[in-house]
PDB file of all heavy atoms in Angstrom:
ATOM      1  N   SER A  14     -23.270 180.821 114.908  1.00 93.00           N
ATOM      2  CA  SER A  14     -23.343 182.292 114.982  1.00 93.00           C
ATOM      3  C   SER A  14     -23.683 182.886 113.624  1.00 93.00           C
ATOM      4  O   SER A  14     -23.979 184.072 113.508  1.00 93.00           O
ATOM      5  CB  SER A  14     -22.020 182.866 115.490  1.00 93.00           C
ATOM      6  OG  SER A  14     -20.964 182.591 114.565  1.00 93.00           O
ATOM      7  N   HIS A  15     -23.626 182.062 112.585  1.00 92.00           N
ATOM      8  CA  HIS A  15     -24.004 182.490 111.233  1.00 92.00           C
ATOM      9  C   HIS A  15     -25.169 181.625 110.749  1.00 92.00           C
ATOM     10  O   HIS A  15     -24.963 180.561 110.182  1.00 92.00           O
ATOM     11  CB  HIS A  15     -22.824 182.358 110.260  1.00 92.00           C
ATOM     12  CG  HIS A  15     -21.700 183.301 110.556  1.00 92.00           C
ATOM     13  ND1 HIS A  15     -20.714 183.006 111.472  1.00 92.00           N
ATOM     14  CD2 HIS A  15     -21.425 184.543 110.070  1.00 92.00           C
ATOM     15  CE1 HIS A  15     -19.862 184.026 111.523  1.00 92.00           C
ATOM     16  NE2 HIS A  15     -20.260 184.957 110.692  1.00 92.00           N
ATOM     17  N   LEU A  16     -26.377 182.074 110.999  1.00 94.00           N
ATOM     18  CA  LEU A  16     -27.564 181.352 110.557  1.00 94.00           C
ATOM     19  C   LEU A  16     -28.510 182.310 109.853  1.00 94.00           C
ATOM     20  O   LEU A  16     -28.806 183.388 110.357  1.00 94.00           O
ATOM     21  CB  LEU A  16     -28.308 180.718 111.741  1.00 94.00           C
ATOM     22  CG  LEU A  16     -27.776 179.433 112.362  1.00 94.00           C
ATOM     23  CD1 LEU A  16     -28.720 178.969 113.451  1.00 94.00           C
ATOM     24  CD2 LEU A  16     -27.590 178.343 111.331  1.00 94.00           C
ATOM     25  N   SER A  17     -28.979 181.898 108.695  1.00 94.00           N
ATOM     26  CA  SER A  17     -29.957 182.704 107.960  1.00 94.00           C
ATOM     27  C   SER A  17     -30.946 181.755 107.295  1.00 94.00           C
ATOM     28  O   SER A  17     -30.552 180.857 106.542  1.00 94.00           O
ATOM     29  CB  SER A  17     -29.258 183.560 106.901  1.00 94.00           C
ATOM     30  OG  SER A  17     -30.197 184.267 106.129  1.00 94.00           O
ATOM     31  N   PHE A  18     -32.228 181.945 107.599  1.00 94.00           N
ATOM     32  CA  PHE A  18     -33.260 181.090 107.010  1.00 94.00           C
ATOM     33  C   PHE A  18     -33.712 181.695 105.685  1.00 94.00           C
ATOM     34  O   PHE A  18     -34.191 182.835 105.641  1.00 94.00           O
ATOM     35  CB  PHE A  18     -34.436 180.937 107.980  1.00 94.00           C
ATOM     36  CG  PHE A  18     -34.068 180.209 109.237  1.00 94.00           C
ATOM     37  CD1 PHE A  18     -33.716 180.907 110.385  1.00 94.00           C
ATOM     38  CD2 PHE A  18     -34.034 178.823 109.265  1.00 94.00           C
ATOM     39  CE1 PHE A  18     -33.355 180.233 111.543  1.00 94.00           C
ATOM     40  CE2 PHE A  18     -33.676 178.137 110.413  1.00 94.00           C
ATOM     41  CZ  PHE A  18     -33.331 178.851 111.555  1.00 94.00           C
ATOM     42  N   LEU A  19     -33.525 180.931 104.623  1.00 91.00           N
ATOM     43  CA  LEU A  19     -33.820 181.424 103.280  1.00 91.00           C
ATOM     44  C   LEU A  19     -35.296 181.252 102.958  1.00 91.00           C
ATOM     45  O   LEU A  19     -36.002 180.449 103.561  1.00 91.00           O
ATOM     46  CB  LEU A  19     -32.970 180.671 102.251  1.00 91.00           C
ATOM     47  CG  LEU A  19     -31.447 180.717 102.486  1.00 91.00           C
ATOM     48  CD1 LEU A  19     -30.728 179.902 101.408  1.00 91.00           C
ATOM     49  CD2 LEU A  19     -30.941 182.157 102.481  1.00 91.00           C
ATOM     50  N   SER A  20     -35.753 182.011 101.976  1.00 83.00           N
ATOM     51  CA  SER A  20     -37.154 181.944 101.562  1.00 83.00           C
ATOM     52  C   SER A  20     -37.439 180.595 100.905  1.00 83.00           C
ATOM     53  O   SER A  20     -36.538 179.911 100.414  1.00 83.00           O
ATOM     54  CB  SER A  20     -37.480 183.070 100.586  1.00 83.00           C
ATOM     55  OG  SER A  20     -36.655 182.988  99.439  1.00 83.00           O
ATOM     56  N   GLU A  21     -38.705 180.231 100.888  1.00 75.00           N
ATOM     57  CA  GLU A  21     -39.108 178.940 100.330  1.00 75.00           C
ATOM     58  C   GLU A  21     -38.812 178.877  98.835  1.00 75.00           C
ATOM     59  O   GLU A  21     -38.911 179.875  98.131  1.00 75.00           O
ATOM     60  CB  GLU A  21     -40.603 178.706 100.552  1.00 75.00           C
ATOM     61  CG  GLU A  21     -40.990 178.529 102.007  1.00 75.00           C
ATOM     62  CD  GLU A  21     -42.481 178.302 102.157  1.00 75.00           C
ATOM     63  OE1 GLU A  21     -43.244 178.725 101.268  1.00 75.00           O
ATOM     64  OE2 GLU A  21     -42.880 177.689 103.165  1.00 75.00           O
ATOM     65  N   GLU A  22     -38.459 177.692  98.390  1.00 75.00           N
ATOM     66  CA  GLU A  22     -38.234 177.448  96.968  1.00 75.00           C
ATOM     67  C   GLU A  22     -39.364 176.566  96.440  1.00 75.00           C
ATOM     68  O   GLU A  22     -39.713 175.553  97.053  1.00 75.00           O
ATOM     69  CB  GLU A  22     -36.891 176.757  96.743  1.00 75.00           C
ATOM     70  CG  GLU A  22     -35.683 177.594  97.131  1.00 75.00           C
ATOM     71  CD  GLU A  22     -35.376 178.695  96.132  1.00 75.00           C
ATOM     72  OE1 GLU A  22     -35.963 178.651  95.022  1.00 75.00           O
ATOM     73  OE2 GLU A  22     -34.572 179.578  96.450  1.00 75.00           O
ATOM     74  N   LEU A  23     -39.942 176.954  95.324  1.00 70.00           N
ATOM     75  CA  LEU A  23     -41.027 176.188  94.714  1.00 70.00           C
ATOM     76  C   LEU A  23     -40.536 175.607  93.394  1.00 70.00           C
ATOM     77  O   LEU A  23     -40.092 176.338  92.510  1.00 70.00           O
ATOM     78  CB  LEU A  23     -42.238 177.092  94.463  1.00 70.00           C
ATOM     79  CG  LEU A  23     -43.491 176.412  93.891  1.00 70.00           C
ATOM     80  CD1 LEU A  23     -44.054 175.415  94.894  1.00 70.00           C
ATOM     81  CD2 LEU A  23     -44.549 177.453  93.545  1.00 70.00           C
ATOM     82  N   PHE A  24     -40.600 174.277  93.286  1.00 67.00           N
ATOM     83  CA  PHE A  24     -40.153 173.597  92.077  1.00 67.00           C
ATOM     84  C   PHE A  24     -41.323 172.883  91.418  1.00 67.00           C
ATOM     85  O   PHE A  24     -42.190 172.341  92.097  1.00 67.00           O
ATOM     86  CB  PHE A  24     -39.067 172.558  92.396  1.00 67.00           C
ATOM     87  CG  PHE A  24     -37.813 173.159  92.954  1.00 67.00           C
ATOM     88  CD1 PHE A  24     -37.200 172.613  94.075  1.00 67.00           C
ATOM     89  CD2 PHE A  24     -37.243 174.264  92.364  1.00 67.00           C
ATOM     90  CE1 PHE A  24     -36.052 173.149  94.596  1.00 67.00           C
ATOM     91  CE2 PHE A  24     -36.084 174.823  92.877  1.00 67.00           C
ATOM     92  CZ  PHE A  24     -35.485 174.265  93.991  1.00 67.00           C
ATOM     93  N   THR A  25     -41.333 172.877  90.107  1.00 64.00           N
ATOM     94  CA  THR A  25     -42.369 172.169  89.352  1.00 64.00           C
ATOM     95  C   THR A  25     -41.779 170.929  88.720  1.00 64.00           C
ATOM     96  O   THR A  25     -40.749 170.996  88.037  1.00 64.00           O
ATOM     97  CB  THR A  25     -42.961 173.071  88.250  1.00 64.00           C
ATOM     98  OG1 THR A  25     -43.507 174.240  88.859  1.00 64.00           O
ATOM     99  CG2 THR A  25     -44.050 172.343  87.486  1.00 64.00           C
ATOM    100  N   ASP A  26     -42.423 169.811  88.974  1.00 60.00           N
ATOM    101  CA  ASP A  26     -42.036 168.566  88.323  1.00 60.00           C
ATOM    102  C   ASP A  26     -42.762 168.520  86.979  1.00 60.00           C
ATOM    103  O   ASP A  26     -43.955 168.242  86.912  1.00 60.00           O
ATOM    104  CB  ASP A  26     -42.436 167.374  89.190  1.00 60.00           C
ATOM    105  CG  ASP A  26     -41.917 166.049  88.638  1.00 60.00           C
ATOM    106  OD1 ASP A  26     -41.725 165.962  87.411  1.00 60.00           O
ATOM    107  OD2 ASP A  26     -41.725 165.113  89.424  1.00 60.00           O
ATOM    108  N   VAL A  27     -42.036 168.827  85.927  1.00 52.00           N
ATOM    109  CA  VAL A  27     -42.649 168.927  84.598  1.00 52.00           C
ATOM    110  C   VAL A  27     -43.254 167.594  84.165  1.00 52.00           C
ATOM    111  O   VAL A  27     -44.341 167.540  83.579  1.00 52.00           O
ATOM    112  CB  VAL A  27     -41.619 169.408  83.555  1.00 52.00           C
ATOM    113  CG1 VAL A  27     -42.260 169.480  82.179  1.00 52.00           C
ATOM    114  CG2 VAL A  27     -41.055 170.764  83.947  1.00 52.00           C
ATOM    115  N   THR A  28     -42.584 166.505  84.474  1.00 54.00           N
ATOM    116  CA  THR A  28     -43.056 165.182  84.054  1.00 54.00           C
ATOM    117  C   THR A  28     -44.352 164.803  84.761  1.00 54.00           C
ATOM    118  O   THR A  28     -45.325 164.387  84.137  1.00 54.00           O
ATOM    119  CB  THR A  28     -41.983 164.116  84.343  1.00 54.00           C
ATOM    120  OG1 THR A  28     -40.766 164.500  83.705  1.00 54.00           O
ATOM    121  CG2 THR A  28     -42.427 162.767  83.820  1.00 54.00           C
ATOM    122  N   ALA A  29     -44.369 164.977  86.089  1.00 57.00           N
ATOM    123  CA  ALA A  29     -45.548 164.581  86.873  1.00 57.00           C
ATOM    124  C   ALA A  29     -46.608 165.668  86.917  1.00 57.00           C
ATOM    125  O   ALA A  29     -47.756 165.416  87.282  1.00 57.00           O
ATOM    126  CB  ALA A  29     -45.135 164.216  88.290  1.00 57.00           C
ATOM    127  N   GLY A  30     -46.228 166.884  86.546  1.00 58.00           N
ATOM    128  CA  GLY A  30     -47.177 167.985  86.583  1.00 58.00           C
ATOM    129  C   GLY A  30     -47.528 168.422  87.989  1.00 58.00           C
ATOM    130  O   GLY A  30     -48.607 168.959  88.232  1.00 58.00           O
ATOM    131  N   GLU A  31     -46.621 168.220  88.959  1.00 63.00           N
ATOM    132  CA  GLU A  31     -46.878 168.582  90.343  1.00 63.00           C
ATOM    133  C   GLU A  31     -45.886 169.638  90.799  1.00 63.00           C
ATOM    134  O   GLU A  31     -44.784 169.751  90.272  1.00 63.00           O
ATOM    135  CB  GLU A  31     -46.767 167.348  91.253  1.00 63.00           C
ATOM    136  CG  GLU A  31     -47.809 166.284  90.955  1.00 63.00           C
ATOM    137  CD  GLU A  31     -47.625 165.053  91.833  1.00 63.00           C
ATOM    138  OE1 GLU A  31     -46.554 164.948  92.473  1.00 63.00           O
ATOM    139  OE2 GLU A  31     -48.535 164.223  91.885  1.00 63.00           O
ATOM    140  N   LYS A  32     -46.309 170.424  91.796  1.00 67.00           N
ATOM    141  CA  LYS A  32     -45.447 171.449  92.358  1.00 67.00           C
ATOM    142  C   LYS A  32     -45.025 171.038  93.762  1.00 67.00           C
ATOM    143  O   LYS A  32     -45.835 170.557  94.541  1.00 67.00           O
ATOM    144  CB  LYS A  32     -46.172 172.802  92.401  1.00 67.00           C
ATOM    145  CG  LYS A  32     -46.406 173.395  91.022  1.00 67.00           C
ATOM    146  CD  LYS A  32     -47.027 174.779  91.117  1.00 67.00           C
ATOM    147  CE  LYS A  32     -47.193 175.374  89.722  1.00 67.00           C
ATOM    148  NZ  LYS A  32     -47.790 176.731  89.763  1.00 67.00           N
ATOM    149  N   TYR A  33     -43.746 171.234  94.063  1.00 70.00           N
ATOM    150  CA  TYR A  33     -43.218 170.884  95.376  1.00 70.00           C
ATOM    151  C   TYR A  33     -42.529 172.109  95.980  1.00 70.00           C
ATOM    152  O   TYR A  33     -41.830 172.843  95.292  1.00 70.00           O
ATOM    153  CB  TYR A  33     -42.205 169.741  95.272  1.00 70.00           C
ATOM    154  CG  TYR A  33     -42.805 168.437  94.805  1.00 70.00           C
ATOM    155  CD1 TYR A  33     -42.625 167.977  93.506  1.00 70.00           C
ATOM    156  CD2 TYR A  33     -43.550 167.652  95.680  1.00 70.00           C
ATOM    157  CE1 TYR A  33     -43.178 166.768  93.089  1.00 70.00           C
ATOM    158  CE2 TYR A  33     -44.102 166.446  95.275  1.00 70.00           C
ATOM    159  CZ  TYR A  33     -43.912 166.020  93.973  1.00 70.00           C
ATOM    160  OH  TYR A  33     -44.461 164.823  93.569  1.00 70.00           O
ATOM    161  N   ARG A  34     -42.743 172.289  97.271  1.00 79.00           N
ATOM    162  CA  ARG A  34     -42.128 173.400  97.983  1.00 79.00           C
ATOM    163  C   ARG A  34     -41.088 172.849  98.955  1.00 79.00           C
ATOM    164  O   ARG A  34     -41.398 171.976  99.779  1.00 79.00           O
ATOM    165  CB  ARG A  34     -43.193 174.190  98.735  1.00 79.00           C
ATOM    166  CG  ARG A  34     -42.720 175.551  99.233  1.00 79.00           C
ATOM    167  CD  ARG A  34     -43.861 176.278  99.931  1.00 79.00           C
ATOM    168  NE  ARG A  34     -44.982 176.474  99.050  1.00 79.00           N
ATOM    169  CZ  ARG A  34     -45.108 177.469  98.168  1.00 79.00           C
ATOM    170  NH1 ARG A  34     -44.132 178.349  98.060  1.00 79.00           N
ATOM    171  NH2 ARG A  34     -46.169 177.582  97.403  1.00 79.00           N
ATOM    172  N   VAL A  35     -39.870 173.345  98.867  1.00 84.00           N
ATOM    173  CA  VAL A  35     -38.817 172.924  99.778  1.00 84.00           C
ATOM    174  C   VAL A  35     -39.170 173.393 101.179  1.00 84.00           C
ATOM    175  O   VAL A  35     -39.554 174.539 101.392  1.00 84.00           O
ATOM    176  CB  VAL A  35     -37.463 173.511  99.334  1.00 84.00           C
ATOM    177  CG1 VAL A  35     -36.406 173.279 100.398  1.00 84.00           C
ATOM    178  CG2 VAL A  35     -37.021 172.881  98.020  1.00 84.00           C
ATOM    179  N   ASP A  36     -39.041 172.488 102.165  1.00 86.00           N
ATOM    180  CA  ASP A  36     -39.507 172.805 103.513  1.00 86.00           C
ATOM    181  C   ASP A  36     -38.650 173.848 104.222  1.00 86.00           C
ATOM    182  O   ASP A  36     -39.153 174.851 104.699  1.00 86.00           O
ATOM    183  CB  ASP A  36     -39.574 171.528 104.354  1.00 86.00           C
ATOM    184  CG  ASP A  36     -40.759 170.650 103.960  1.00 86.00           C
ATOM    185  OD1 ASP A  36     -41.671 171.168 103.299  1.00 86.00           O
ATOM    186  OD2 ASP A  36     -40.759 169.457 104.298  1.00 86.00           O
ATOM    187  N   LEU A  37     -37.350 173.589 104.343  1.00 94.00           N
ATOM    188  CA  LEU A  37     -36.515 174.487 105.144  1.00 94.00           C
ATOM    189  C   LEU A  37     -35.116 174.577 104.551  1.00 94.00           C
ATOM    190  O   LEU A  37     -34.467 173.569 104.315  1.00 94.00           O
ATOM    191  CB  LEU A  37     -36.436 173.973 106.591  1.00 94.00           C
ATOM    192  CG  LEU A  37     -35.709 174.860 107.596  1.00 94.00           C
ATOM    193  CD1 LEU A  37     -36.436 176.187 107.778  1.00 94.00           C
ATOM    194  CD2 LEU A  37     -35.583 174.143 108.942  1.00 94.00           C
ATOM    195  N   LEU A  38     -34.667 175.806 104.338  1.00 95.00           N
ATOM    196  CA  LEU A  38     -33.318 176.066 103.845  1.00 95.00           C
ATOM    197  C   LEU A  38     -32.607 176.989 104.827  1.00 95.00           C
ATOM    198  O   LEU A  38     -33.122 178.057 105.167  1.00 95.00           O
ATOM    199  CB  LEU A  38     -33.346 176.737 102.469  1.00 95.00           C
ATOM    200  CG  LEU A  38     -33.805 175.900 101.278  1.00 95.00           C
ATOM    201  CD1 LEU A  38     -33.814 176.757 100.017  1.00 95.00           C
ATOM    202  CD2 LEU A  38     -32.901 174.698 101.080  1.00 95.00           C
ATOM    203  N   VAL A  39     -31.430 176.560 105.273  1.00 96.00           N
ATOM    204  CA  VAL A  39     -30.669 177.348 106.241  1.00 96.00           C
ATOM    205  C   VAL A  39     -29.286 177.632 105.672  1.00 96.00           C
ATOM    206  O   VAL A  39     -28.552 176.706 105.321  1.00 96.00           O
ATOM    207  CB  VAL A  39     -30.529 176.596 107.577  1.00 96.00           C
ATOM    208  CG1 VAL A  39     -29.866 177.495 108.618  1.00 96.00           C
ATOM    209  CG2 VAL A  39     -31.883 176.120 108.070  1.00 96.00           C
ATOM    210  N   GLU A  40     -28.951 178.900 105.592  1.00 96.00           N
ATOM    211  CA  GLU A  40     -27.616 179.302 105.142  1.00 96.00           C
ATOM    212  C   GLU A  40     -26.732 179.487 106.367  1.00 96.00           C
ATOM    213  O   GLU A  40     -27.105 180.200 107.307  1.00 96.00           O
ATOM    214  CB  GLU A  40     -27.708 180.603 104.354  1.00 96.00           C
ATOM    215  CG  GLU A  40     -26.402 180.981 103.659  1.00 96.00           C
ATOM    216  CD  GLU A  40     -26.575 182.232 102.816  1.00 96.00           C
ATOM    217  OE1 GLU A  40     -26.757 183.317 103.413  1.00 96.00           O
ATOM    218  OE2 GLU A  40     -26.554 182.122 101.569  1.00 96.00           O
ATOM    219  N   THR A  41     -25.579 178.834 106.373  1.00 97.00           N
ATOM    220  CA  THR A  41     -24.701 178.898 107.535  1.00 97.00           C
ATOM    221  C   THR A  41     -23.250 178.709 107.094  1.00 97.00           C
ATOM    222  O   THR A  41     -22.955 178.729 105.900  1.00 97.00           O
ATOM    223  CB  THR A  41     -25.112 177.839 108.587  1.00 97.00           C
ATOM    224  OG1 THR A  41     -24.302 177.994 109.748  1.00 97.00           O
ATOM    225  CG2 THR A  41     -24.988 176.423 108.048  1.00 97.00           C
ATOM    226  N   LYS A  42     -22.369 178.506 108.070  1.00 96.00           N
ATOM    227  CA  LYS A  42     -20.956 178.289 107.789  1.00 96.00           C
ATOM    228  C   LYS A  42     -20.439 177.106 108.589  1.00 96.00           C
ATOM    229  O   LYS A  42     -21.036 176.712 109.588  1.00 96.00           O
ATOM    230  CB  LYS A  42     -20.125 179.525 108.168  1.00 96.00           C
ATOM    231  CG  LYS A  42     -20.335 180.745 107.309  1.00 96.00           C
ATOM    232  CD  LYS A  42     -19.404 181.857 107.763  1.00 96.00           C
ATOM    233  CE  LYS A  42     -19.531 183.095 106.872  1.00 96.00           C
ATOM    234  NZ  LYS A  42     -18.605 184.167 107.309  1.00 96.00           N
ATOM    235  N   LEU A  43     -19.306 176.565 108.133  1.00 97.00           N
ATOM    236  CA  LEU A  43     -18.572 175.579 108.924  1.00 97.00           C
ATOM    237  C   LEU A  43     -17.521 176.306 109.747  1.00 97.00           C
ATOM    238  O   LEU A  43     -16.979 177.333 109.313  1.00 97.00           O
ATOM    239  CB  LEU A  43     -17.905 174.545 108.020  1.00 97.00           C
ATOM    240  CG  LEU A  43     -18.835 173.656 107.182  1.00 97.00           C
ATOM    241  CD1 LEU A  43     -18.013 172.689 106.355  1.00 97.00           C
ATOM    242  CD2 LEU A  43     -19.818 172.898 108.060  1.00 97.00           C
ATOM    243  N   LYS A  44     -17.253 175.795 110.928  1.00 95.00           N
ATOM    244  CA  LYS A  44     -16.255 176.432 111.787  1.00 95.00           C
ATOM    245  C   LYS A  44     -14.896 176.475 111.085  1.00 95.00           C
ATOM    246  O   LYS A  44     -14.455 175.483 110.505  1.00 95.00           O
ATOM    247  CB  LYS A  44     -16.136 175.660 113.097  1.00 95.00           C
ATOM    248  CG  LYS A  44     -17.366 175.748 113.980  1.00 95.00           C
ATOM    249  CD  LYS A  44     -17.226 174.881 115.215  1.00 95.00           C
ATOM    250  CE  LYS A  44     -18.472 174.941 116.083  1.00 95.00           C
ATOM    251  NZ  LYS A  44     -18.375 174.047 117.261  1.00 95.00           N
ATOM    252  N   GLY A  45     -14.263 177.623 111.152  1.00 93.00           N
ATOM    253  CA  GLY A  45     -12.939 177.771 110.563  1.00 93.00           C
ATOM    254  C   GLY A  45     -12.931 177.987 109.065  1.00 93.00           C
ATOM    255  O   GLY A  45     -11.858 178.024 108.455  1.00 93.00           O
ATOM    256  N   GLU A  46     -14.115 178.102 108.443  1.00 93.00           N
ATOM    257  CA  GLU A  46     -14.196 178.329 106.999  1.00 93.00           C
ATOM    258  C   GLU A  46     -14.991 179.598 106.719  1.00 93.00           C
ATOM    259  O   GLU A  46     -15.895 179.961 107.464  1.00 93.00           O
ATOM    260  CB  GLU A  46     -14.856 177.135 106.295  1.00 93.00           C
ATOM    261  CG  GLU A  46     -14.063 175.845 106.404  1.00 93.00           C
ATOM    262  CD  GLU A  46     -14.656 174.736 105.564  1.00 93.00           C
ATOM    263  OE1 GLU A  46     -15.536 175.039 104.715  1.00 93.00           O
ATOM    264  OE2 GLU A  46     -14.255 173.565 105.733  1.00 93.00           O
ATOM    265  N   ASP A  47     -14.637 180.255 105.617  1.00 90.00           N
ATOM    266  CA  ASP A  47     -15.327 181.497 105.256  1.00 90.00           C
ATOM    267  C   ASP A  47     -16.529 181.260 104.348  1.00 90.00           C
ATOM    268  O   ASP A  47     -17.501 182.019 104.373  1.00 90.00           O
ATOM    269  CB  ASP A  47     -14.351 182.454 104.543  1.00 90.00           C
ATOM    270  CG  ASP A  47     -13.271 182.958 105.491  1.00 90.00           C
ATOM    271  OD1 ASP A  47     -13.580 183.078 106.697  1.00 90.00           O
ATOM    272  OD2 ASP A  47     -12.144 183.208 105.039  1.00 90.00           O
ATOM    273  N   GLY A  48     -16.474 180.235 103.520  1.00 92.00           N
ATOM    274  CA  GLY A  48     -17.544 179.998 102.555  1.00 92.00           C
ATOM    275  C   GLY A  48     -18.845 179.567 103.207  1.00 92.00           C
ATOM    276  O   GLY A  48     -18.857 178.935 104.272  1.00 92.00           O
ATOM    277  N   LEU A  49     -19.952 179.918 102.574  1.00 95.00           N
ATOM    278  CA  LEU A  49     -21.268 179.563 103.075  1.00 95.00           C
ATOM    279  C   LEU A  49     -21.676 178.166 102.609  1.00 95.00           C
ATOM    280  O   LEU A  49     -21.265 177.716 101.535  1.00 95.00           O
ATOM    281  CB  LEU A  49     -22.312 180.576 102.595  1.00 95.00           C
ATOM    282  CG  LEU A  49     -22.160 182.005 103.118  1.00 95.00           C
ATOM    283  CD1 LEU A  49     -23.147 182.923 102.403  1.00 95.00           C
ATOM    284  CD2 LEU A  49     -22.393 182.063 104.621  1.00 95.00           C
ATOM    285  N   ILE A  50     -22.473 177.515 103.421  1.00 97.00           N
ATOM    286  CA  ILE A  50     -23.094 176.253 103.015  1.00 97.00           C
ATOM    287  C   ILE A  50     -24.605 176.382 103.253  1.00 97.00           C
ATOM    288  O   ILE A  50     -25.063 177.306 103.936  1.00 97.00           O
ATOM    289  CB  ILE A  50     -22.554 175.035 103.804  1.00 97.00           C
ATOM    290  CG1 ILE A  50     -22.977 175.122 105.283  1.00 97.00           C
ATOM    291  CG2 ILE A  50     -21.055 174.921 103.654  1.00 97.00           C
ATOM    292  CD1 ILE A  50     -22.756 173.852 106.061  1.00 97.00           C
ATOM    293  N   ILE A  51     -25.375 175.469 102.676  1.00 96.00           N
ATOM    294  CA  ILE A  51     -26.823 175.462 102.869  1.00 96.00           C
ATOM    295  C   ILE A  51     -27.237 174.107 103.417  1.00 96.00           C
ATOM    296  O   ILE A  51     -26.832 173.064 102.894  1.00 96.00           O
ATOM    297  CB  ILE A  51     -27.566 175.754 101.550  1.00 96.00           C
ATOM    298  CG1 ILE A  51     -27.362 177.209 101.141  1.00 96.00           C
ATOM    299  CG2 ILE A  51     -29.061 175.451 101.683  1.00 96.00           C
ATOM    300  CD1 ILE A  51     -27.960 177.564  99.803  1.00 96.00           C
ATOM    301  N   VAL A  52     -28.040 174.132 104.476  1.00 97.00           N
ATOM    302  CA  VAL A  52     -28.614 172.903 105.035  1.00 97.00           C
ATOM    303  C   VAL A  52     -30.074 172.852 104.591  1.00 97.00           C
ATOM    304  O   VAL A  52     -30.843 173.778 104.861  1.00 97.00           O
ATOM    305  CB  VAL A  52     -28.527 172.869 106.572  1.00 97.00           C
ATOM    306  CG1 VAL A  52     -29.147 171.576 107.108  1.00 97.00           C
ATOM    307  CG2 VAL A  52     -27.074 172.995 107.022  1.00 97.00           C
ATOM    308  N   HIS A  53     -30.427 171.805 103.874  1.00 97.00           N
ATOM    309  CA  HIS A  53     -31.807 171.620 103.397  1.00 97.00           C
ATOM    310  C   HIS A  53     -32.451 170.509 104.210  1.00 97.00           C
ATOM    311  O   HIS A  53     -31.985 169.374 104.202  1.00 97.00           O
ATOM    312  CB  HIS A  53     -31.796 171.261 101.903  1.00 97.00           C
ATOM    313  CG  HIS A  53     -33.094 170.717 101.410  1.00 97.00           C
ATOM    314  ND1 HIS A  53     -33.175 169.747 100.422  1.00 97.00           N
ATOM    315  CD2 HIS A  53     -34.373 170.990 101.766  1.00 97.00           C
ATOM    316  CE1 HIS A  53     -34.441 169.459 100.204  1.00 97.00           C
ATOM    317  NE2 HIS A  53     -35.194 170.181 101.006  1.00 97.00           N
ATOM    318  N   VAL A  54     -33.532 170.837 104.926  1.00 97.00           N
ATOM    319  CA  VAL A  54     -34.261 169.852 105.724  1.00 97.00           C
ATOM    320  C   VAL A  54     -35.641 169.656 105.109  1.00 97.00           C
ATOM    321  O   VAL A  54     -36.399 170.612 104.941  1.00 97.00           O
ATOM    322  CB  VAL A  54     -34.413 170.306 107.191  1.00 97.00           C
ATOM    323  CG1 VAL A  54     -35.109 169.210 108.006  1.00 97.00           C
ATOM    324  CG2 VAL A  54     -33.056 170.642 107.796  1.00 97.00           C
TER     325      VAL A  54
END
């Protein structure tokens, strides 16, 4: 019941000189807990 899809994150690998974009980030909660967690797929 608590799902939020976060915007894409773009990271640069300084050593390799390549850019990588994180595919999917989901902000949600665990049952019975108030704090948020993030699922990265």
Side-chain angles (χ1 to χ4, degrees):
S14 64
H15 293 85
L16 282 183
S17 176
F18 295 96
L19 304 179
S20 59
E21 293 180 335
E22 295 285 348
L23 183 65
F24 297 133
T25 301
D26 187 333
V27 179
T28 304
E31 296 177 347
K32 291 184 178 180
Y33 295 104
R34 194 178 301 277
V35 170
D36 286 343
L37 185 64
L38 290 178
V39 186
E40 189 176 69
T41 184
K42 291 183 177 181
L43 296 180
K44 292 176 181 177
E46 296 187 13
D47 292 329
L49 295 172
I50 67 168
I51 290 175
V52 180
H53 165 214
V54 183

